[in-house]
Amino acid sequence: MQETCTVNQTVRYLARKWTLLIILELYKGPGYTRRFSELKNALEGITQKVLAERLRELETEGIVTRHVDASAFPVRSEYTLTESGLGLVEVIRGIKAWALTWKLENAECGGQDCSVCVL
Amino acid sequence: MQETCTVNQTVRYLARKWTLLIILELYKGPGYTRRFSELKNALEGITQKVLAERLRELETEGIVTRHVDASAFPVRSEYTLTESGLGLVEVIRGIKAWALTWKLENAECGGQDCSVCVL
DNA sequence: CAGAATCCCCTCAGATACTG
DNA sequence: CAGTATCTGAGGGGATTCTG
């Protein structure tokens, strides 16, 4: 069946709101790592619910790993891009290249204020 | 603003159900061209409504062009991938490469029965 | 701080029926 | 053949509240 093919699935969750920005935010972090609260602050407008949902998805997809330090207080949760997650950054780069080539009206998107332009 | 960045937009409509498969079906056609009814038959399970919607989207995004031959009867409508559309095929190829590398359980997806595997 | 649980709205996409 | 129009159900995602 066509729907079983992973390419569809991949694009599907990549396209969920915030997913891309979360991946790029992790990519910018030291060791490709960020804490929950850091992500929350960096991604202005995201709610905890959505952030938690997206991170869970990415975790079950093997794109990020979670490390919880329960010994500390308050609890720390750190999220790190896996190797496959880094591979996805390449994919995103490809999409951006396409967008810059064919969507000229968005060329201004090379500015620093755009999270995606870190690529 | 983050949401204004085209990379998000691009992934968003790419991820709409059927969009990917439509692009690939056009890619397989002679001169990257297919008729409405050919697409409808090739994409088993798609409804006319959804097919028409997706094609309109792709047209306004400059990814396909439409040529209507009204002189013929019945009317013929042909859809052709543009250059930017061909560029998207490369992007899809990248996503597939990622999926094959990191989603091993879907390796069987190299079969001929999968539309995406034409890549 | 890092979440889980509810509620609510809105878009997507399927089914069906109709037209030039 | 190539659409358009309308109705409907499922799921995404935002806001808010509660907990260890």
Side-chain angles (χ1 to χ4, degrees):
Chain A
M1 276 275 75
Q2 301 164 328
E3 276 308 298
T4 64
C5 188
T6 338
V7 178
N8 284 293
Q9 301 305 100
T10 303
V11 179
R12 265 343 245 232
Y13 59 71
L14 266 192
R16 292 228 169 81
K17 210 167 173 180
W18 299 109
T19 300
L20 228 57
L21 296 173
I22 292 171
I23 293 176
L24 292 176
E25 193 56 34
L26 291 173
Y27 180 65
K28 288 194 284 183
Y32 309 122
T33 298
R34 285 266 137 110
R35 295 182 52 196
F36 188 89
S37 54
E38 289 176 329
L39 291 171
K40 172 122 181 45
N41 292 330
L43 305 173
E44 201 167 347
I46 199 173
T47 61
Q48 305 101 306
K49 177 203 170 190
V50 173
L51 179 53
E53 277 178 2
R54 291 299 93 85
L55 286 171
R56 277 187 173 278
E57 269 173 22
L58 293 172
E59 194 185 357
T60 68
E61 293 295 336
I63 292 165
V64 311
T65 52
R66 178 166 63 147
H67 299 285
V68 183
D69 184 356
S71 70
F73 187 83
V75 177
R76 276 171 165 268
S77 291
E78 290 192 332
Y79 297 87
T80 306
L81 274 187
T82 64
E83 274 194 78
S84 89
L86 283 174
L88 267 189
V89 173
E90 289 306 310
V91 170
I92 298 170
R93 215 187 287 270
I95 296 172
K96 190 195 173 184
W98 179 86
L100 285 181
T101 304
W102 299 105
K103 300 285 178 172
L104 299 177
E105 73 273 18
N106 296 280
E108 85 283 353
C109 195
Q112 298 237 38
D113 52 330
C114 174
S115 313
V116 179
C117 296
V118 73
L119 292 177
Chain B
M1 276 278 73
Q2 302 163 331
E3 274 307 298
T4 66
C5 189
T6 337
V7 177
N8 284 293
Q9 302 305 99
T10 302
V11 180
R12 262 348 245 232
Y13 59 71
L14 267 191
R16 293 230 168 79
K17 210 168 175 180
W18 298 108
T19 300
L20 228 58
L21 295 173
I22 292 171
I23 293 175
L24 293 176
E25 192 56 35
L26 291 174
Y27 179 66
K28 288 195 282 183
Y32 310 121
T33 299
R34 284 267 137 107
R35 297 183 51 196
F36 188 89
S37 55
E38 289 175 330
L39 291 171
K40 172 122 182 46
N41 293 330
L43 305 173
E44 203 167 345
I46 199 172
T47 62
Q48 304 104 305
K49 178 201 168 190
V50 173
L51 179 53
E53 277 179 2
R54 292 298 90 84
L55 285 171
R56 275 185 175 281
E57 268 175 23
L58 293 173
E59 196 185 356
T60 69
E61 292 296 335
I63 292 166
V64 311
T65 52
R66 177 165 65 146
H67 298 284
V68 183
D69 185 356
S71 70
F73 188 83
V75 177
R76 277 171 164 267
S77 289
E78 291 193 331
Y79 295 87
T80 306
L81 274 187
T82 63
E83 273 194 79
S84 88
L86 283 175
L88 266 188
V89 174
E90 289 307 308
V91 170
I92 299 170
R93 215 188 289 269
I95 296 172
K96 189 194 175 184
W98 178 85
L100 286 180
T101 304
W102 299 105
K103 300 286 179 171
L104 299 176
E105 74 273 16
N106 296 282
E108 86 281 351
C109 196
Q112 298 238 35
D113 53 332
C114 174
S115 313
V116 178
C117 298
V118 73
L119 291 177

